[in-house]
Amino acid sequence: MAKQLIKGNEAVVKGAILAGCRFYFGYPITPASEVAEAAAYYLPKVGGTFIQAESEVAAINMVYGAASADVRAMTASSSPGISLKMEGLSYCAGAELPFVLVDIMRAGPGLGNIAPEQGDYNQIIKGGGHGNYKVVCLAPNSAQEMCDLTILAFDLADKYRIPAVLLADGFIGQMEEPVEFPPARTSLPDKPWAIHSDADDEKRLITSINLEPELLEKHNLHLQEKYAEITRNEIRFEDYQTADAELVIIAYGVVSRIVQTTIDDMRAAGRKVGMMRPISLWPFPSAHIVELGDQVKQFLVVELSDGQMVDDVRLALNGKRPVHLHNRMGGMVPSPEEVQERALKILEG
Amino acid sequence: MAEPIGLERAKIVVREDECKGCGLCIEACPEQVLFVHKHLNRLGYHPTGYKGEGCTGCGICFYQCPEPGAITVYKKGYVGEEVV
Amino acid sequence: MAEKVLAKAESFFDIYDRNPSPSKDVTHYCPGCGHGVLHKLIAEAIDDFGIRERTVLFSPVGCSVFAYYYFRTGNIQCAHGRAPAAATGFKRTHPESIVISYQGDGDLAAIGTAEIIQAANRGENFTVFFVNNAIYGMTGGQLAPTTLVGQKTTTSPYGRNPANEGYPIKVAEMISTLDAPVYVERVAITDAKNTARVRRAVRKGLQNQIDNKGFSLIEVLSVCPSNWKMDPIQSKQWLSDNMIQQFPLGIFRDRTGEVPAAENKRHIFHVDGLREALELPVETESTIKVAAPAPEFQDPRIKLAGFGGQGVLMLGLMLAEAGMHAGYHVSWIPSYGPEMRGGTANCHVNLSHRRIGSPTVSRPTLLVAMNLPSLERFENEVVPGGLIIYDTAMVTRAPKRTDVKALGIPASTIADELGNTRGANMVILGAYIGYTSILPKEAIFAAMPSLIKRKNLIPLNEQAVEKGMEFVRNLRG
Ligand code: SF4
Ligand code: SF4
Ligand code: SF4
């Protein structure tokens, strides 16, 4: 297949359209604006609709409406905009509406800056909105995955009736790499529960309200069951040079790319190091980390935040192995050499 | 129950169990042919009653009444069964 | 009203099964509440127009949050104030549907102000029923944006004070200042005459949507006996005596006659011409042959830097695109945002035989410095044995490092002589591929069409590349 050199943010939109998405509602924000721009450019050409919403809040609620129908819909933003979308995300989770939300993370808190960070891990994975809910969260680390995981996100969203988040950072969004685009989906999945604007609609109801505690608990239990099923079926990760590793570095997004170079450099010097890259941040590859812990002596988590994913690694290992953290914030990104220095210190005790 | 009613005259039927006794229909009826029952209905309200004659079928009470099913108005010349 | 019977509309469920309360044949509304009347008028119109099967009702947050218990239509319940946004989203997926946004005053005129104004301003082809009863009903009688001056509520216990809470918002007037709305009217559920007006307005608002005419909003003044703490009859009196003063009834906008009726066409999913529309590449046999560069030039990690206008980002893209055509793994990443806007630009490029790790280049094996600040900033990052290419026309000193190779080329001067001052980047590119054999020029030429938008500039750029190569050849003698 021929490849195209393309920005991650644009690969998301092409991937989405190939996945059958025809509806995009969004609000501009750096470094995610190219997603909206590409959607505005391509969707009208394929019989789709792009609307620039008046706000992030309106955008996610437009998605709420569109995702109530028998179509595929999406929105994208960056961290401060994602904070605003949290209300809508909780409603979508409650009403079990499938759609894709793309978060091209930037540095915070507050207005912060537009450099890459991974400080949205907690608000996406731990539920930045209210209530007991989860969203599927996939973390691409290349332009190719910006396309592929967008498509997967739509599939998982529809398969489980759940919002799916593509969690990337400014670098992954802005970077250009060759992408091979898969064939287009020629039909959309059946959504018997969705509003079709037809005679059966009287039986269909999209809502997140349930005044009866007993019934709402039942609904919550149903959601929890579904989350357990997703956890059983949909964990994705990539091991890199872990087979004989004494130290395994855990990283996602652009950091996993940097760490790959660290591993290559250290392996060239005979060091037994490897990397585990979670591709699904939720469900998180906890069991796999525990398994790695049988052989790996120590773990190092590298992330662009105050240490958010590291909590999940520590929870998984539950004290089984030491877990170190190397983190940068504010848009600072470590170099492969910086990570190597830290890894060497750990190896040398 | 569903008796055939080829009507010579208009009439209204109040489903007592759906009436909330708000009194808006009684207040609005230009013919003053509606009244408050002494008894309580299932919901604990005094339902509205029809005096049995004098209704012109104007429909005012129907559009004043907030309950979708509480009042049915049969106009003069209505042929058919009572709506259930 | 040709009908000989006025009875419960078909567009209501017979039994309200969705209501968890044991009384499944009555609404949850308080006795005398205006919501029920408005529901009846809407359901009757849906019946009469024969649109039930394609009607979708958006219930708000407020007393009418449970409107879906009653309406035998599609139902979507959404977040407080967001119904116009959600309705927009849905309506766009199903233009043929009849979408009703049913909202109260807190929902529409407080928390959802942005959503209603913007939906109105887009002229969304749906119908909004705005129930104004000057109070928050469901939460138990708090101040609404439409609460009257002096009116006591649980959160304005001394009466609404304009100095503290401002004045009641006139929604119908406000919406009618916008260009897009087709029909805006304020009506009141009071006596038979006014209620007949409500009925007409409801039907007109729906008819407009059926005819694809655009946005209609009907503001309905309505009683809330429970929170007003009056009986239903007193409530209607109070509404007539007080609310109508503040919220005059009437038509504020009616362009129904001006806008031609149109058909609402269903959205059809298709993939015809999709790959062309997405401008995806077509399969081509690559004939580009790459000579193996000397080991020190293989798998370069490249940093390119210069002033904003010097085409540094384009140079990087050209390298990446050409590298891709030549079968390399490639990556390109710019410094983005304000830094870019501020006049300096740099980008990082990797070309490799292996899957690329870090797309950011901290220790370049090649630094291209198109101006002096770039050389000064990045010279020390270059790995020992690496290469620095710099534009001697712009960089007034040679690199200080002695453990790297340095290639100076008066790229800007050469480009200027070619009649294309902006072509210095391509001269440098030529020099780089000439010096290292990392790519054949055919790969560069193959990359140009997708990157250079103005096709007449391609020959000039090709020349610039040739010139750069020629410079290196002459250097070697
Ligand atoms: S239809 Fe008219 S006359 Fe008959 S009871 Fe109702 S309001 Fe009175
Ligand atoms: S208006 Fe309806 S609910 Fe109220 S009293 Fe009359 S019949 Fe009963
Ligand atoms: S609180 Fe007011 S608005 Fe709500 S149902 Fe009761 S009367 Fe109607």
Side-chain angles (χ1 to χ4, degrees):
Chain A
M1 275 271 208
K3 291 187 172 182
Q4 183 165 50
L5 186 70
I6 190 173
K7 203 172 254 208
N9 281 345
E10 207 177 319
V12 163
V13 172
K14 293 193 180 187
I17 292 172
L18 290 169
C21 174
R22 296 291 181 273
F23 297 92
Y24 184 103
F25 309 91
Y27 190 82
I29 181 170
T30 310
S33 295
E34 294 88 354
V35 187
E37 288 164 1
Y41 177 75
Y42 290 111
L43 276 170
K45 300 210 298 173
V46 299
T49 297
F50 167 87
I51 297 182
Q52 182 165 325
E54 59 269 27
S55 67
E56 299 283 3
V57 174
I60 188 106
N61 281 285
M62 288 176 185
V63 169
Y64 183 95
S68 299
D70 46 344
V71 300
R72 285 186 159 178
M74 72 178 294
T75 184
S77 189
S78 178
S79 312
I82 299 293
S83 301
L84 284 164
K85 287 186 189 298
M86 280 300 155
E87 173 203 48
L89 197 56
S90 169
Y91 276 74
C92 289
E96 299 182 86
L97 294 179
F99 71 98
V100 172
L101 166 65
V102 178
D103 179 3
I104 310 295
M105 290 182 282
R106 60 186 248 186
L111 202 47
N113 65 35
I114 59 171
E117 219 192 53
Q118 296 176 324
D120 289 6
Y121 182 93
N122 277 350
Q123 76 164 340
I124 296 295
I125 304 301
K126 306 297 177 186
H130 59 284
N132 317 302
Y133 74 91
K134 296 280 180 208
V135 294
V136 167
C137 179
L138 304 175
N141 81 345
S142 63
Q144 183 69 56
E145 283 193 353
M146 287 291 264
C147 166
D148 296 347
L149 295 185
T150 297
I151 297 172
L152 178 64
F154 274 107
D155 289 346
L156 294 178
D158 280 333
K159 180 170 177 193
Y160 296 102
R161 273 191 74 177
I162 189 171
V165 176
L166 193 78
L167 190 67
D169 52 76
F171 271 166
I172 297 298
Q174 296 294 323
M175 179 168 66
E176 293 203 18
E177 288 183 316
V179 173
E180 203 177 300
F181 289 97
R185 297 290 163 77
T186 50
S187 63
L188 293 174
D190 254 5
K191 303 189 185 187
W193 52 269
I195 308 285
H196 286 56
S197 184
D198 69 17
D200 288 334
D201 276 354
E202 65 178 82
K203 296 183 208 108
R204 301 175 176 130
L205 169 65
I206 307 296
T207 187
S208 66
I209 190 173
N210 204 326
L211 281 195
E212 300 297 307
E214 225 173 274
L215 295 179
L216 188 53
E217 183 179 56
K218 228 174 109 191
H219 179 59
N220 266 285
L221 288 172
H222 155 72
L223 291 179
Q224 294 301 319
E225 241 168 65
K226 176 163 88 177
Y227 299 155
E229 189 192 346
I230 298 172
T231 305
R232 279 193 301 279
N233 300 341
E234 308 297 349
I235 289 173
R236 287 169 170 81
F237 57 84
E238 183 196 350
D239 276 342
Y240 188 73
Q241 309 269 24
T242 53
D244 61 344
E246 290 165 8
L247 172 71
V248 159
I249 302 179
I250 301 180
Y252 70 97
V254 72
V255 185
S256 68
R257 298 286 297 268
I258 292 162
V259 170
Q260 187 196 319
T261 298
T262 304
I263 304 291
D264 290 347
D265 293 350
M266 291 180 78
R267 283 275 169 184
R271 295 288 184 167
K272 288 187 172 170
V273 289
M275 172 174 71
M276 197 284 286
R277 168 171 82 99
I279 295 172
S280 58
L281 291 176
W282 193 88
F284 193 69
S286 305
H288 179 61
I289 291 173
V290 174
E291 226 173 78
L292 282 173
D294 291 342
Q295 146 229 323
V296 172
K297 296 202 183 75
Q298 305 189 73
F299 290 87
L300 168 62
V301 173
V302 184
E303 59 180 319
L304 308 180
S305 74
D306 57 344
Q308 301 188 7
M309 179 175 71
V310 71
D311 287 347
D312 283 330
V313 175
R314 287 185 172 135
L315 269 176
L317 285 164
N318 196 16
K320 181 170 170 172
R321 296 288 181 193
V323 178
H324 307 270
L325 170 67
H326 186 78
N327 65 319
R328 298 297 300 263
M329 291 178 279
M332 295 300 292
V333 178
S335 65
E337 295 78 24
E338 180 184 320
V339 177
Q340 172 163 182
E341 201 180 310
R342 180 65 195 272
L344 284 173
K345 257 194 208 132
I346 293 168
L347 281 174
E348 275 143 28
Chain B
M1 175 164 170
E3 66 195 70
I5 44 169
L7 277 181
E8 290 301 309
R9 287 178 301 170
K11 77 163 183 179
I12 84 155
V13 172
V14 178
R15 271 187 209 134
E16 288 191 9
D17 278 345
E18 295 184 31
C19 171
K20 287 180 181 158
C22 70
L24 289 172
C25 54
I26 300 171
E27 167 84 4
C29 173
E31 309 303 324
Q32 292 294 298
V33 293
L34 303 177
F35 68 96
V36 188
H37 276 299
K38 290 230 158 49
H39 64 266
L40 294 173
N41 69 4
R42 182 197 52 170
L43 300 168
Y45 298 117
H46 293 288
T48 285
Y50 172 45
K51 290 179 181 162
E53 57 185 45
C55 172
T56 62
C58 70
I60 286 174
C61 58
F62 179 83
Y63 290 110
Q64 288 287 308
C65 175
E67 271 307 310
I71 292 181
T72 310
V73 178
Y74 300 93
K75 298 189 181 181
K76 188 174 166 194
Y78 174 79
V79 181
E81 310 230 314
E82 191 163 314
V83 179
V84 185
Chain C
M1 268 183 272
E3 291 293 328
K4 289 286 179 196
V5 62
L6 297 172
K8 184 173 174 180
E10 302 262 316
S11 295
F12 285 123
F13 289 112
D14 289 341
I15 306 291
Y16 310 134
D17 279 325
R18 285 175 178 153
N19 188 348
S21 119
S23 307
K24 296 195 191 301
D25 49 0
V26 288
T27 66
H28 71 289
Y29 298 115
C30 311
C33 173
H35 278 302
V37 174
L38 183 57
H39 281 22
K40 279 171 77 170
L41 296 173
I42 294 170
E44 181 193 57
I46 295 173
D47 276 13
D48 292 352
F49 295 156
I51 52 175
R52 185 182 66 76
E53 293 185 350
R54 58 183 172 121
T55 295
V56 180
L57 183 97
F58 284 76
S59 341
V61 171
C63 287
S64 46
V65 62
F66 298 121
Y68 64 81
Y69 288 173
Y70 314 118
F71 284 93
R72 195 150 75 92
T73 60
N75 279 284
I76 298 175
Q77 194 288 314
C78 49
H80 200 198
R82 317 297 177 218
T88 296
F90 182 82
K91 181 78 184 190
R92 297 301 183 108
T93 70
H94 281 283
E96 83 289 2
S97 64
I98 301 298
V99 167
I100 294 171
S101 180
Y102 189 109
Q103 301 181 259
D105 41 35
D107 191 88
L108 180 141
I111 200 165
T113 324
E115 284 80 1
I116 190 62
I117 289 178
Q118 301 292 335
N121 195 48
R122 285 189 301 268
E124 295 294 340
N125 183 36
F126 55 66
T127 312
V128 179
F129 296 112
F130 166 46
V131 178
N132 176 0
N133 56 20
I135 205 153
Y136 279 50
M138 195 182 214
T139 45
Q142 295 82 7
L143 179 93
T146 50
T147 292
L148 301 186
V149 171
Q151 187 183 342
K152 288 184 176 157
T153 72
T154 59
T155 50
S156 58
Y158 311 109
R160 182 178 193 148
N161 172 7
N164 198 46
E165 290 104 19
Y167 293 88
I169 290 182
K170 294 178 172 146
V171 168
E173 286 86 337
M174 188 168 70
I175 296 296
S176 64
T177 64
L178 302 170
D179 290 337
V182 165
Y183 169 55
V184 181
E185 180 168 2
R186 183 183 290 119
V187 290
I189 299 173
T190 54
D191 58 10
K193 204 168 117 221
N194 272 336
T195 306
R197 287 212 183 100
V198 181
R199 185 171 179 274
R200 273 201 298 280
V202 165
R203 298 169 88 85
K204 183 161 174 167
L206 288 172
Q207 188 64 52
N208 282 343
Q209 186 177 174
I210 294 168
D211 295 340
N212 204 3
K213 291 194 173 185
F215 184 86
S216 300
L217 181 140
I218 294 105
E219 176 170 345
V220 183
L221 304 184
S222 174
V223 296
C224 175
S226 298
N227 286 304
W228 292 359
K229 310 210 180 328
M230 300 173 201
D231 71 34
I233 292 162
Q234 288 170 331
S235 295
K236 285 202 171 172
Q237 198 56 51
W238 189 84
L239 190 162
S240 302
D241 295 347
N242 298 282
M243 280 186 79
I244 293 178
Q245 315 302 312
Q246 173 66 26
F247 302 112
L249 305 184
I251 295 173
F252 294 89
R253 166 68 60 87
D254 191 357
R255 297 197 295 115
T256 309
E258 298 162 30
V259 187
E263 194 194 340
N264 296 301
K265 289 215 181 65
R266 214 177 172 96
H267 164 83
I268 308 282
F269 177 83
H270 69 84
V271 294
D272 312 337
L274 197 74
R275 294 189 85 85
E276 297 73 44
L278 291 181
E279 297 164 19
L280 300 184
V282 281
E283 207 60 48
T284 46
E285 201 67 36
S286 177
T287 53
I288 295 162
K289 298 257 180 311
V290 186
E296 72 264 36
F297 297 134
Q298 279 176 16
D299 298 344
R301 303 207 294 262
I302 306 168
K303 190 170 259 183
L304 308 134
F307 291 127
Q310 286 182 302
V312 165
L313 301 185
M314 174 57 87
L315 170 52
L317 280 172
M318 196 69 81
L319 262 171
E321 178 91 21
M324 179 181 77
H325 284 291
Y328 287 110
H329 293 270
V330 301
S331 71
W332 171 91
I333 191 165
S335 59
Y336 60 89
E339 197 186 340
M340 203 172 91
R341 289 169 202 132
T344 70
N346 69 72
C347 64
H348 307 200
V349 175
N350 285 282
L351 267 65
S352 181
H353 288 91
R354 303 193 320 121
R355 190 177 93 161
I356 290 164
S358 179
T360 57
V361 175
S362 47
R363 306 296 316 272
T365 60
L366 167 67
L367 169 66
V368 170
M370 297 199 55
N371 62 11
L372 184 59
S374 299
L375 182 67
E376 288 183 333
R377 191 163 159 206
F378 299 121
E379 179 174 354
N380 284 333
E381 291 183 1
V382 179
V383 299
L387 173 64
I388 298 176
I389 303 179
Y390 60 106
D391 184 348
T392 52
M394 302 294 296
V395 183
T396 48
R397 68 159 176 84
K400 292 178 184 146
R401 295 269 299 271
T402 53
D403 60 341
V404 298
K405 291 186 242 343
L407 171 61
I409 173 169
S412 296
T413 312
I414 294 173
D416 213 17
E417 283 162 10
L418 275 175
N420 175 21
T421 34
R422 304 232 150 200
N425 57 350
M426 291 300 114
V427 175
I428 295 231
L429 181 55
Y432 173 51
I433 65 168
Y435 191 79
T436 62
S437 304
I438 183 81
L439 289 166
K441 66 180 178 187
E442 290 74 25
I444 306 286
F445 297 166
M448 282 185 178
S450 60
L451 289 168
I452 299 171
K453 297 283 170 266
R454 287 168 61 190
K455 299 297 162 228
N456 56 335
L457 292 181
I458 289 178
L460 212 55
N461 279 283
E462 290 184 354
Q463 266 176 28
V465 171
E466 302 267 17
K467 281 285 176 193
M469 297 179 76
E470 184 187 308
F471 177 87
V472 171
R473 264 198 311 277
N474 293 340
L475 207 65
R476 286 180 169 149

